[in-house]
Amino acid sequence: MTSENFTPLVELNAGALFSITKTLRADEDSLLAEIFTGSAGDIEKDAKGRYFLDRDGVLFRYILDYLRDGTLTLPEGFRENDRLRREAEHFRLAGLLKCLQGLAEARPAGCITVGYRGSFQFGKDGLADVKFRKLSRILVCGRVALCRDVFGDTLNESRDPDHGGPDRYTSRFFLKHCFIEQAFDMLQEQGFRLAGSCGSGTAGAATELKPGVDVEENRWNHYNEFTILY
């Protein structure tokens, strides 16, 4: 296939199906331009005769968006920056790589406070060692846009009825999982660092408990809070 007989409409299977025209050649230095001007040799096709690229179809749509407009706009809470960067490197899209770098540098400084309440249980026969029992919920406080950017779809916003702008602050978010290590991994991946922490513990009252409440779980509670800065 040469540029002279380049088909105006290309049926492409790149992990998802696309119908594309000259967009694929928008960046003359890219691998896509090389492929669809014939410089890269024969192109593999799928069973239905569509040109086939063994790539991530979800991320390929952002590749096409960039090729169409020369700019990059990602959805709020997008967490695949590293994978999209690898796609840009694969397709030799220097401009897209520059856009991704600019987005990383443009994030404003901010802090997120993560807190959680849990409970301890005493060992058998009154032994002094206190064992971790249960972590009930991880709370997240901070600027809404920043919290969404870091935690993505693991963020539960059901307790926050305010649908104002993303620059507002909230103390009513929590995570859909109860693994504090997972929360810290996500913060570390986004470049945050720990600024301070505090913790407290209380002994449960000896009063009669409500039906269904675990006696041991109520015996020794603790609350920990961490402030993380970007």
Side-chain angles (χ1 to χ4, degrees), residues 26-186:
D27 186 331
E28 295 179 355
D29 298 322
S30 71
L31 177 61
L32 287 168
E34 181 179 323
I35 290 173
F36 288 96
T37 55
S39 303
D42 294 335
I43 310 170
E44 186 177 354
K45 294 185 178 181
D46 66 13
K48 294 188 177 181
R50 294 172 296 219
Y51 295 109
F52 178 75
L53 297 176
D54 187 12
R55 308 306 299 178
D56 187 311
V58 174
L59 296 178
F60 193 73
R61 59 181 290 197
Y62 300 115
I63 300 289
L64 292 179
D65 284 346
Y66 167 76
L67 289 173
R68 290 189 188 101
D69 307 322
T71 60
L72 178 64
T73 302
L74 298 175
E76 187 176 301
F78 183 78
R79 294 189 52 80
E80 303 286 351
N81 297 68
D82 289 340
R83 295 185 63 206
L84 183 55
R85 185 177 295 107
R86 288 199 297 271
E87 294 297 295
E89 290 171 348
H90 173 79
F91 289 116
R92 302 202 306 262
L93 293 167
L96 180 54
L97 287 169
K98 189 176 293 185
C99 288
L100 287 167
Q101 181 63 31
L103 288 176
E105 295 173 352
R107 174 189 282 170
C111 71
I112 293 176
T113 298
V114 175
Y116 68 88
R117 181 177 65 82
S119 58
F120 288 110
Q121 178 185 19
F122 286 103
K124 295 181 179 179
D125 302 323
L127 296 178
D129 59 313
V130 180
K131 300 180 180 179
F132 181 75
R133 175 69 181 276
K134 177 181 172 183
L135 191 155
S136 57
R137 178 170 288 177
I138 300 175
L139 306 175
V140 176
C141 309
R143 187 160 53 84
V144 169
L146 192 60
C147 295
R148 288 172 176 166
D149 190 31
V150 172
F151 295 111
D153 59 6
T154 66
L155 194 67
N156 192 324
E157 303 182 30
S158 62
R159 295 180 64 221
D160 184 7
D162 188 349
H163 297 290
D167 289 330
R168 66 184 175 86
Y169 287 78
T170 182
S171 60
R172 300 185 64 81
F173 285 168
F174 62 97
L175 300 183
K176 296 177 182 178
H177 59 81
C178 290
F179 301 101
I180 191 66
E181 295 82 5
Q182 183 177 345
F184 284 147
D185 282 347
M186 298 174 83

Side-chain angles (χ1 to χ4, degrees), residues 8-13 16-21 23-24 64 68:
L9 183 64
V10 175
E11 295 293 329
L12 177 64
N13 180 350
L17 301 180
F18 301 91
S19 296
I20 319 161
T21 55
T23 299
L24 293 167
L64 292 179
R68 290 189 188 101

Side-chain angles (χ1 to χ4, degrees), residues 188-204:
Q188 185 180 38
E189 289 171 2
Q190 296 293 319
F192 284 77
R193 67 183 189 279
L194 181 65
S197 64
C198 63
S200 63
T202 59

